Amino acid sequence: MARCGAGLCCCCCCCGERESRTPEELTILGETHEEEDEILPRKDYESLDYDRCINDPYLEILESMDNKKAQRYEAVKWVLVFAIGVCTGLVGLFVDFFVRLFTQLKFQVVQSSVEECTEKGCLALSLLELLGFNLTFVFLASLLVLIQPVAAGSGIPEIKCYLNGVKVPGVVRLRTVVCKAAGVLFSVAGGLFVGKEGPMIHSGAVVGAGLPQFQSISLRKIQFNFPYFRSDRDKRDFVSAGAAAGVAAAFGAPIGGTLFSLEEGSSFWNQGLTWKVLFCSMAATFTLNFFRSGIQFGSWGSFQLPGLLNFGEFKCSESDKKCHLWTAVDLGFFILMGIVGGLLGATFNCLNKRLAKYRMRNVHPKPKLVRVLESLLVSLTTTVMVFVASMVLGECRQMSPSRHSGNDTLSLQDISEDVNSSIKTFFCPNETYNDMATLFFNPQESAILQLFHQDGTFSPVTLSLFFLLYFLLSCWTYGISVPSGLFVPSLLCGAAFGRLVANLLKSYIGLDHIYSGTFALIGAAAFLGGVVRMTISLTVILIESTNEITYGLPIMITLMVAKWTGDFFNKGIYDIHVNLRGVPLLEWETEVEMDKLRASDIMEPNLTYVYPHTRIQSLVSILRTTVHHAFPVVTENRGNEREFMKGNQLISNNIKFKKSSILTRAGEQRKRSQSMKSYPSSELRNMCDEHIATEEPPEKEDLLQQMLERRYTPYPSLYPDQSPSEEWTMEERFRPLTFHGLILRSQLVTLLDRGVCYSESQSSASQPRLSHAEMSEDYPRYPDIHDLDLTLLNPRMIVDVTPYMNPSPFTVSPNTHVSQVFNLFRTMGLRHLPVVNAVGEVVGIITRHNLTHEFLQARLRQHYQTI
C-alpha cells in the first residue's frame, strides 16, 4: 500500500555501533534529536513489482499458451541472453580501445617532454602538459555525470539495490550506459586512481535491462512491436545476466561472473537462471576476447586476451630449482596477510564513509558545478603527487639483465604493449631506471603485471610510499562525480603490499625460495577482500584471471580471513554506500531478537482502499491525495456488521488493530472532496457535494445462512463512491472490511487513461476489456494521474477493478512473527504484504519500509517500553 520508504542511513561511528538510539530510530519514534545527530540527506525509493499479478489478462495468456509457444518463448530468452553477452563484450571493447588510445597518446607526449626537460631544466612544462591532459579528461567525465548523475561511481551498489527489489531512478536507462561507458574511459585516461572493471558490471546490467525491451525512453521514435518480458520480474533476470557478463568481460572469468551475480548481486535465484547467466557470461568473454586478440595482435580467432584485465601466467624460472609458487609454510604468512588486509580494508571503508558523509552534507546540496570542481581538485592533486613522487621519491636502480633473458614468464616488453616501454628512466642517468615512475607512469594493468611478475625491481621504500599514496588517493577519489571502479585500484594497492611483504621476508628473514609474484597476488586478494568482502566469487575470479588452479586454497583462505577481520569493524564498501544513499535494502534474514515482534506491531494500519466497483471520481480522488502504489480491494459487510460487533470474538480481538486508523478513515472523504477542486470537470465538483443516502441494513437474519447465500457472490453491490464519513458512529467505523485482492496504482491509472468504465444504467459486463499487452504497454513508466486528461470522463461512471486486481496475493495473519513475515517478503520478492485476520478482514499492510533494520529496531524499542 504505502510507498516504499527510504531505509535511513547509518550515522553511527563507522567502526562500531553506539548503544544509544540512532537519529533514524528517533525519527521513526517521532522524538526529537540533537542538531549534531542530524541524519544525512535521503530520499524515498520505490519498490519493484517482482511478484506476478495473477489477474484475468494474465490468465488469458496462460490459457492461450501451449507447449510449442512455451518452447518458443524459452528459445527467445536464450537468444536475448546471448545478445546481451555480445553487446556487453562490445561495450568493454569500446572502453578498452579508447582508454588505450588516450593513455598511449598522453604518455607519449609527456615522456618525450620529460626526457627533453630533464636536460634543459623545464620540468614545470612537463607537469603542465600532464595536468592539461588529466584535467581535460576528468572534466569531460564530470560533465557526463552531470547529464546522468546515477552514472557516477562503480554502479555496483545501485545494481545490487535493483536486484534486491528497489527502484533506483535512472539506473538502467540507455543514457546511463552511454554516460557510464564514455565517462569511465575519460576517468581512467585522466590519471585518476580508478578502474574500468567495476563500471563494466553496471554497463552490462543496463544492456540486460534495455535490450529485451526493444525500446528506449531516450529513443522514443525507435519502437518495435515486442510485448514480451515487459515486467520487473523478467527484467530482473536479464539484469542478473548482464551484471555477470560485465564481470566476465572485465576479468575474462565467466564462472566468476556467474558466481558474482549469485553471491553479491542477485537476491532472487533459480536453477534455470544459472545456465542462462553462465551462457551470457561466456558470450561476453568470447566476444571481447575475439575482437581484442584480432585488433591488438592481428590474429583473429587466437583468443589471447580473455578480459580487460589479465594477470598473466605465474610460473617459476626454470633455472631456479628451489622455487615454488607456494608451500604449506607460506599459508601462515598468507593468513597474517589476510588479517592485515582486513584491517586495511576496514580502515579504507571507514575513511571513505566519512568522506562520503562530508560530500553529502557539504558538496551535494551546492550547485552541480561544485562537484565538477571537486573532481578537478582530486585530479590536480593526484597529478601533482604522482609527478613529484616520481621525481623526488623515486629510486634510480640498475637495469636487470633478466628482463631480456626471460627469467620470468612474462618479460617487460610483453606486458607493456600499450606504451612504448614499461621501464621509465625519468630523472635517472643512463643504464638506470626510476622504479617509482615505472609504477606511476604506466597504465594500472601494466603496473599490476609488473608487481606480479618482475623480480627485484622495486625497493621496499618505493613500495611503501607507493602503497601509502595509492591508498589515500584512491580512498579520496572513490565517491567523486565521475564513473569510477574500485577493483583495479584495490588490486594494485594490495599487490604493492604483497610485494613489500615478499621483499621484507627475503631481505630480513632470508626466505629466498619464496615467489614474489605469489605474495603480490595474495596481497591483492587480501586488500580487495577487506574492502569489498566477497569470498566465493572473488576466489573464482582471481583463479580464472591467473589460470592457476593451485592458487585456489591460499586465495580462499586469505579472502575468508580478510572478510572475517573486516566484518568485525564495519561492512563492505558497497553496503556502506547503499546505507548512505538511504536505500531500504533487505538482508537475507532478520536478527533473532526481532521475533519478539508480530506483524501487527510493524504493519501500517492506516489503509486507503477501493471497492470492487468504484466511481471515477473516487478513484481520481484516491490517486491524487495519496502516494500509495497499491490499494486493497474490499467490501463492507453491512448486513452482518451488528452481528459481528455483538458476538464475534475474533472481530473484537482485532479492534485494537483499527483504532489508529479511525482518524485516517474519517478524514478520507474530506481529503477526497478537497482534491476534486482540481478535477477538470465542473460536473464532478457538483457531484462531490451531493449526499448519497446510506443503505438501510437488512433485518436480522441467521449469520450462517447469509454467508451461504453470498458464497458465490464475493463482491456484493455497494454504493461505489461511498467512503467513511465523520458522521459515522464508532460501530460504523469498525465495520469489517472483507479483503478481496490488491490493485496497483499503475493499473488504476491505465484503466482511467484508456476509459475502462461503465455507466450506472449498464452492467459491469459492458465494460471494455484490456489485454495483458495493453495493460503493460506503458511499462516501465506509466503516466502520472496529474498528467491525464480527464475532461471527457463522466465522474459518475463506474470502474470494475476485479478483472485487473490480484485476487490471491500473499497475506499474513496479524499474529505472524516478524521472521516469518520477513522471509516471505524477501524470498518471494514482494512489494506489498496485506495483513488479514482470521475472518478475511484486512487490518493493515506491510511494505519494504516496515522491514528495514532501522524501522524494526525502533519498533522493538517501543515494544520494550510497552512491556
Side-chain angles (χ1 to χ4, degrees):
M1 177 206 75
R3 180 178 177 177
C4 181
L8 302 175
C9 46
C10 180
C11 292
C12 57
C13 176
C14 54
C15 293
E17 299 291 338
R18 297 185 305 190
E19 295 181 358
S20 59
R21 293 182 184 175
T22 64
E24 297 80 5
E25 295 175 0
L26 294 174
T27 302
I28 294 172
L29 293 173
E31 302 177 12
T32 58
H33 49 271
E34 299 179 1
E35 185 177 356
E36 60 268 18
D37 288 334
E38 181 182 1
I39 60 176
L40 295 173
R42 60 184 178 86
K43 64 182 296 183
D44 291 336
Y45 289 90
E46 301 174 10
S47 293
L48 296 167
D49 295 304
Y50 284 166
D51 187 26
R52 284 196 179 97
C53 181
I54 314 295
N55 53 14
D56 289 355
Y58 183 81
L59 293 176
E60 291 175 1
I61 293 180
L62 294 182
E63 292 176 358
S64 62
M65 183 76 70
D66 55 14
N67 291 334
K68 291 185 178 180
K69 289 185 178 180
Q71 292 175 358
R72 287 197 298 267
Y73 185 82
E74 188 69 13
V76 172
K77 271 190 175 182
W78 282 95
V79 173
L80 289 174
V81 163
F82 177 78
I84 291 170
V86 172
C87 292
T88 302
L90 294 177
V91 172
L93 179 69
F94 166 81
V95 173
D96 178 71
F97 177 81
F98 282 99
V99 165
R100 293 173 62 86
L101 179 65
F102 293 154
T103 303
Q104 184 176 5
L105 174 64
K106 180 182 72 173
F107 282 142
Q108 282 180 348
V109 174
V110 173
Q111 180 174 352
S112 60
S113 176
V114 169
E115 291 174 353
E116 294 178 3
C117 291
T118 301
E119 300 177 357
K120 298 180 180 180
C122 57
L123 288 176
L125 180 61
S126 301
L127 176 59
L128 290 177
E129 291 180 353
L130 183 61
L131 282 172
F133 277 107
N134 289 346
L135 292 178
T136 301
F137 289 147
V138 173
F139 178 73
L140 294 175
S142 298
L143 287 183
L144 291 171
V145 171
L146 291 184
I147 297 174
Q148 189 67 11
V150 77
S154 64
I156 296 177
E158 290 81 2
I159 295 303
K160 184 176 181 179
C161 295
Y162 185 92
L163 294 175
N164 190 261
V166 181
K167 182 179 181 181
V168 180
V171 70
V172 290
R173 292 190 59 180
L174 175 63
R175 189 166 62 181
T176 300
V177 71
V178 173
C179 294
K180 193 84 173 185
V184 72
L185 67 90
F186 287 123
S187 299
V188 176
L192 294 177
F193 291 168
V194 299
K196 57 181 180 291
E197 282 70 20
M200 276 300 303
I201 301 172
H202 189 183
S203 300
V206 178
V207 173
L211 186 61
Q213 302 299 310
F214 287 95
Q215 68 175 14
S216 173
I217 302 297
S218 304
L219 304 174
R220 298 180 184 273
K221 294 184 179 180
I222 302 179
Q223 297 285 342
F224 295 92
N225 185 17
F226 190 76
Y228 307 104
F229 312 116
R230 301 187 60 77
S231 68
D232 291 336
R233 186 185 185 94
D234 292 326
K235 184 183 289 188
R236 176 192 69 196
D237 294 341
F238 289 119
V239 170
S240 299
V247 177
F251 297 96
I255 301 177
T258 303
L259 292 176
F260 172 86
S261 184
L262 172 62
E263 177 188 10
E264 188 69 15
S266 299
S267 298
F268 310 96
W269 200 265
N270 59 72
Q271 186 177 8
L273 184 62
T274 305
W275 277 107
K276 294 184 180 67
V277 171
L278 180 59
F279 182 65
C280 184
S281 301
M282 292 294 298
T285 305
F286 170 84
T287 302
L288 183 64
N289 198 345
F290 177 80
F291 284 101
R292 286 193 71 204
S293 301
I295 293 174
Q296 295 186 29
F297 296 107
S299 177
W300 297 91
S302 60
F303 300 104
Q304 302 179 38
L305 299 171
L308 299 180
L309 183 63
N310 184 21
F311 292 161
E313 183 181 0
F314 288 78
K315 187 177 181 181
C316 289
S317 173
E318 296 180 359
S319 58
D320 190 356
K321 302 300 182 181
K322 297 182 179 180
C323 176
H324 297 282
L325 292 182
W326 65 278
T327 62
V329 178
D330 296 335
L331 286 177
F333 296 110
F334 297 160
I335 293 175
L336 294 177
M337 292 175 66
I339 295 175
V340 176
L343 294 174
L344 292 173
T347 305
F348 183 96
N349 294 351
C350 185
L351 295 175
N352 189 262
K353 180 180 180 180
R354 293 184 180 273
L355 285 171
K357 283 185 176 182
Y358 178 83
R359 290 189 179 105
M360 295 177 70
R361 289 193 179 103
N362 301 284
V363 178
H364 293 176
K366 296 182 179 180
K368 295 182 178 180
L369 181 62
V370 177
R371 304 185 189 184
V372 178
L373 294 178
E374 183 197 17
S375 302
L376 295 177
L377 175 62
V378 174
S379 176
L380 174 65
T381 306
T382 302
T383 304
V384 173
M385 292 291 290
V386 166
F387 193 88
V388 173
S390 300
M391 181 176 62
V392 178
L393 304 177
E395 181 178 343
C396 295
R397 301 172 65 84
Q398 289 292 329
M399 296 279 190
S400 174
S402 61
R403 72 183 187 95
H404 296 289
S405 61
N407 189 38
D408 289 303
T409 302
L410 292 179
S411 67
L412 290 177
Q413 293 90 340
D414 294 333
I415 65 175
S416 60
E417 296 178 357
D418 53 348
V419 290
N420 290 336
S421 175
S422 60
I423 290 294
K424 302 300 179 184
T425 60
F426 294 170
F427 323 118
C428 288
N430 294 334
E431 300 302 325
T432 60
Y433 68 95
N434 190 322
D435 57 353
M436 185 75 76
T438 300
L439 292 177
F440 275 132
F441 280 86
N442 269 320
Q444 293 176 333
E445 290 80 1
S446 297
I448 290 176
L449 286 172
Q450 291 167 2
L451 291 171
F452 281 172
H453 298 290
Q454 299 308 311
D455 189 23
T457 58
F458 307 103
S459 67
V461 176
T462 297
L463 291 173
S464 301
L465 293 174
F466 176 82
F467 170 81
L468 181 62
L469 290 176
Y470 227 94
F471 181 93
L472 296 176
L473 289 175
S474 60
C475 182
W476 185 22
T477 304
Y478 188 73
I480 63 176
S481 294
V482 296
S484 57
L486 198 60
F487 276 95
V488 172
S490 298
L491 288 172
L492 187 54
C493 199
F497 160 67
R499 278 300 291 260
L500 176 62
V501 172
N503 284 8
L504 295 177
L505 291 177
K506 285 185 176 181
S507 303
Y508 296 99
I509 301 182
L511 299 179
D512 296 330
H513 68 281
I514 63 174
Y515 183 61
S516 300
T518 299
F519 278 78
L521 176 64
I522 296 301
F527 187 83
L528 182 58
V531 171
V532 301
R533 311 290 165 79
M534 298 189 316
T535 52
I536 301 176
S537 59
L538 190 55
T539 300
V540 177
I541 288 173
L542 294 177
I543 291 176
E544 289 186 281
S545 300
T546 57
N547 293 320
E548 185 60 58
I549 191 62
T550 58
Y551 279 139
L553 180 61
I555 290 176
M556 184 180 301
I557 292 177
T558 303
L559 289 176
M560 290 175 60
V561 173
K563 175 179 170 57
W564 289 340
T565 305
D567 286 343
F568 184 78
F569 297 97
N570 51 33
K571 295 183 178 180
I573 188 68
Y574 301 133
D575 293 326
I576 287 176
H577 280 267
V578 167
N579 293 334
L580 290 177
R581 285 173 170 83
V583 180
L585 189 77
L586 298 183
E587 300 295 339
W588 288 103
E589 57 186 9
T590 60
E591 299 175 0
V592 178
E593 191 179 20
M594 295 303 171
D595 255 350
K596 297 177 182 178
L597 299 175
R598 306 295 178 94
S600 58
D601 297 322
I602 66 172
M603 71 181 184
E604 174 59 48
N606 300 325
L607 301 178
T608 301
Y609 50 88
V610 299
Y611 297 127
H613 303 266
T614 307
R615 294 194 192 278
I616 288 180
Q617 65 179 18
S618 292
L619 288 181
V620 174
S621 175
I622 291 172
L623 295 173
R624 284 185 172 177
T625 57
T626 65
V627 292
H628 308 323
H629 286 269
F631 305 91
V633 181
V634 301
T635 56
E636 298 176 359
N637 297 326
R638 299 174 184 273
N640 298 333
E641 62 186 47
R642 295 184 180 180
E643 199 70 33
F644 280 143
M645 295 302 296
K646 287 180 180 179
N648 196 305
Q649 185 65 28
L650 288 174
I651 293 295
S652 301
N653 290 339
N654 284 285
I655 287 179
K656 62 178 181 179
F657 299 141
K658 297 180 175 182
K659 287 184 177 179
S660 59
S661 65
I662 294 176
L663 295 179
T664 300
R665 290 193 187 181
E668 185 176 326
Q669 180 67 22
R670 182 177 64 255
K671 289 194 303 180
R672 295 187 185 181
S673 298
Q674 292 174 352
S675 72
M676 290 302 103
K677 296 179 181 180
S678 61
Y679 194 88
S681 173
S682 59
E683 178 185 4
L684 180 58
R685 289 197 293 271
N686 296 330
M687 290 298 176
C688 286
D689 298 329
E690 294 182 2
H691 176 71
I692 302 177
T694 306
E695 182 183 25
E696 292 294 333
E699 296 181 0
K700 181 178 179 181
E701 298 178 2
D702 181 72
L703 177 61
L704 179 59
Q705 183 62 29
Q706 290 187 31
M707 295 176 64
L708 291 176
E709 290 177 357
R710 289 200 305 271
R711 182 176 180 181
Y712 300 105
T713 57
Y715 311 123
S717 177
L718 300 173
Y719 286 102
D721 57 349
Q722 187 167 356
S723 56
S725 171
E726 292 182 353
E727 288 75 22
W728 278 9
T729 64
M730 184 65 68
E731 181 177 297
E732 289 174 323
R733 292 177 183 176
F734 281 130
R735 179 177 293 121
L737 298 177
T738 302
F739 180 71
H740 297 291
L742 205 65
I743 190 162
L744 302 178
R745 168 181 285 267
S746 59
Q747 295 172 329
L748 292 177
V749 172
T750 301
L751 295 178
L752 292 175
D753 186 29
R754 296 181 177 271
V756 178
C757 55
Y758 66 96
S759 63
E760 293 177 293
S761 60
Q762 299 175 325
S763 66
S764 59
S766 62
Q767 177 176 276
R769 300 295 296 270
L770 296 182
S771 65
H772 186 270
E774 291 173 326
M775 288 292 295
S776 60
E777 184 176 353
D778 294 324
Y779 177 84
R781 289 173 177 81
Y782 294 95
D784 188 82
I785 183 61
H786 299 283
D787 299 331
L788 296 184
D789 183 11
L790 303 175
T791 55
L792 301 179
L793 290 179
N794 183 352
R796 299 293 295 177
M797 297 286 282
I798 302 172
V799 179
D800 180 10
V801 302
T802 56
Y804 307 101
M805 71 179 186
N806 186 358
S808 55
F810 291 96
T811 60
V812 292
S813 165
N815 295 320
T816 306
H817 290 276
V818 163
S819 62
Q820 295 174 290
V821 174
F822 188 91
N823 291 335
L824 176 62
F825 197 99
R826 176 70 165 74
T827 55
M828 301 310 299
L830 304 182
R831 184 176 185 178
H832 309 92
L833 184 59
V835 182
V836 181
N837 63 20
V839 294
E841 179 189 1
V842 59
V843 294
I845 202 162
I846 296 174
T847 63
R848 176 178 292 268
H849 166 68
N850 302 109
L851 294 173
T852 58
H853 178 74
E854 292 79 14
F855 188 89
L856 293 179
Q857 285 285 352
R859 292 301 187 194
L860 188 61
R861 291 184 184 274
Q862 283 185 336
H863 175 75
Y864 286 143
Q865 291 176 358
T866 303
I867 296 177

